[in-house]
Amino acid sequence: MKTVLHVGCGPLPSRLHPSFAPGQWRELRLDLDPKVAPDFVASITDMAPVPGAAVDAVYSSHNLEHLYPHEVPLALAECVRVLRPDGYLLITLPDLQAVARLVAEDKLEDAAYVSQAGPIAPLDILYGHRPSLAAGNLYMAHRTGFTARTLARALVEAGFAGVEARRDEAALALWAQAYMPAHPAIARLRQRQAAAEPALQAP
C-alpha cells in the first residue's frame, strides 16, 4: 500500500483527493493544530518529524497561500525532501489570474462561490477568509498567490523534474502534479516536450 502525506489535513473526516483511494493509499496526517490529532504536528515549512524519502505522495490543499513569499521555497523543498524518488506532489490553491478577472469586473466583495464556510468573495481569496480572521484564526490569512505559470515555475525551481499544471476557472483554483525524477510520468512529459519542439531542418 502506498503512503500519502496529507499536509494541512484539518479535522477528521479527512478531505483527501479522490485519487487517493482507501485500500490503495495509507494516509499520514500533518497539521499545525494538535487538536485535530494529526500523525505529525508540524508546519509545511518544517516537516522535520517526517523522515526523508518516506512517502509516495504529498497532498497539499490550500496551504501555500498562507505563507509569505520567502517561505514558499522552504515548503516546496520540504515536499521534495519527504518524497521518494518516484513520488509526486498533488497541490491545489487559488488561481489569482481568475480572481483578478473578477476584481477587474468590480466584484471584489461579491460571492464568487459558496463553500462549507459560507460565501467566498474575491477579497477572501486574496487576503483570507474574513469571518475566520475576525474570530481570531489568523492562520487563515493569505500572504502570497500564484498563476498557473508561476506555480509551475516555483515547483521546478524547488527540484521537481516535471510539472503538469491546470486551471479550474469555475472553482477559481489551480491544480498541479509535480513529479520526482524517477516517477513514470517524467518519460511521458519528455516525449511530449520533444514532440512540441520544431524539427531540425536538414542543411
Side-chain angles (χ1 to χ4, degrees):
M1 186 179 295
K2 293 185 176 182
T3 302
V4 54
L5 180 66
H6 187 179
V7 177
C9 59
L12 290 169
S14 285
R15 294 164 292 170
L16 267 176
H17 188 269
S19 62
F20 301 109
Q24 299 177 25
W25 288 87
R26 180 170 67 97
E27 179 190 18
L28 294 176
R29 301 168 67 249
L30 182 145
D31 203 285
L32 273 173
D33 186 357
K35 290 184 289 187
V36 303
D39 297 291
F40 304 105
V41 178
S43 162
I44 191 173
T45 58
D46 183 5
M47 300 191 287
V50 184
V55 298
D56 299 285
V58 172
Y59 177 54
S60 171
S61 176
H62 293 274
N63 292 300
L64 285 194
E65 66 266 31
H66 298 285
L67 304 177
Y68 289 107
H70 70 276
E71 295 177 307
V72 170
L74 300 176
L76 296 181
E78 278 293 270
C79 292
V80 169
R81 182 186 67 80
V82 302
L83 281 166
R84 295 188 173 119
D86 60 348
Y88 72 97
L89 165 68
L90 176 60
I91 189 167
T92 184
L93 60 160
D95 178 1
L96 289 197
Q97 190 172 353
V99 174
R101 174 176 50 79
L102 294 177
V103 175
E105 295 171 0
D106 198 18
K107 297 178 180 178
L108 181 66
E109 296 184 354
D110 297 351
Y113 63 91
V114 178
S115 74
Q116 293 180 341
I120 303 296
L123 186 63
D124 299 303
I125 300 171
L126 288 171
Y127 298 111
H129 187 234
R130 287 168 291 167
S132 297
L133 294 171
N137 186 358
L138 300 184
Y139 289 118
M140 292 300 289
H142 290 183
R143 300 181 175 96
T144 194
F146 297 87
T147 65
R149 181 179 61 84
T150 62
L151 176 60
R153 184 180 65 201
L155 291 165
V156 170
E157 289 175 351
F160 287 99
V163 177
E164 292 180 292
R166 67 176 179 87
R167 301 176 64 203
D168 181 353
E169 288 200 59
L172 306 179
L174 299 174
W175 286 88
Q177 285 195 191
Y179 304 105
M180 296 290 282
H183 193 280
I186 294 299
R188 172 171 48 82
L189 289 174
R190 287 176 179 161
Q191 288 175 351
R192 186 186 305 167
Q193 182 181 13
E197 293 175 352
L200 292 175
Q201 297 295 320

